[in-house]
């Protein structure tokens, strides 16, 4: 019984890859990976275009902060986050199975 246990865990892990929830998780990761940089880029571009038209220095400072946060979170963290979560699910979680996402 002890020798059969790992084989049972792997068959259920590969069976999970064919379920709707696995496809939903893949779609969420794809949305974060490609949508994050798109939204972050749009926000950064919008604030860069709006900066010359603003006269108040405190509003300029807020726009610069928004631009920097859009670049950091949208362009850097979102793609890295999906890679890190995918690595954790495939390699660190006990009984995890790679679904070739």
């Amino acid at each position: 019984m002890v020798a059969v246990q790992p084989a049972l865990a792997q068959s259920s892990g590969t069976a999970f890859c064919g379920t709707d929830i696995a496809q939903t998780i893949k779609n969420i990761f794809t949305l974060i990976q490609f949508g994050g940089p798109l939204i972050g880029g749009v926000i950064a571009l919008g604030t860069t275009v709006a900066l010359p038209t603003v006269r108040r220095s405190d509003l300029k400072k807020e726009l610069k902060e928004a631009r920097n946060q859009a670049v950091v979170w949208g362009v850097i963290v979102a793609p890295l986050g999906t890679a890190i979560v995918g690595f954790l699910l495939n390699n660190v979680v006990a009984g995890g199975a790679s679904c070739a996402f």
Side-chain angles (χ1 to χ4, degrees):
M1 187 65 176
V2 174
V4 177
Q5 206 62 359
L8 287 174
Q10 272 205 335
S11 65
S12 66
T14 55
F16 171 75
C17 293
T19 62
D20 288 338
I21 192 71
Q23 185 64 36
T24 302
I25 291 170
K26 179 184 178 211
N27 291 343
I28 290 171
F29 284 168
T30 304
L31 182 67
I32 292 170
Q33 188 173 13
F34 296 113
L38 180 65
I39 293 170
V42 168
I43 292 172
L45 181 64
T47 56
T48 302
V49 170
L51 272 173
T53 63
V54 176
R55 293 185 183 202
R56 293 190 349 233
S57 63
D58 56 339
L59 187 56
K60 278 190 178 185
K61 184 177 179 183
E62 289 178 22
L63 284 173
K64 285 180 183 179
E65 283 183 23
R67 180 189 59 200
N68 294 341
Q69 289 297 318
V71 169
V72 167
W73 287 98
V75 179
I76 298 171
V77 175
L80 282 178
T82 55
I84 291 169
V85 171
F87 172 78
L88 291 175
L89 288 176
N90 291 330
N91 300 315
V92 177
V93 175
S98 176
C99 296
F101 290 157

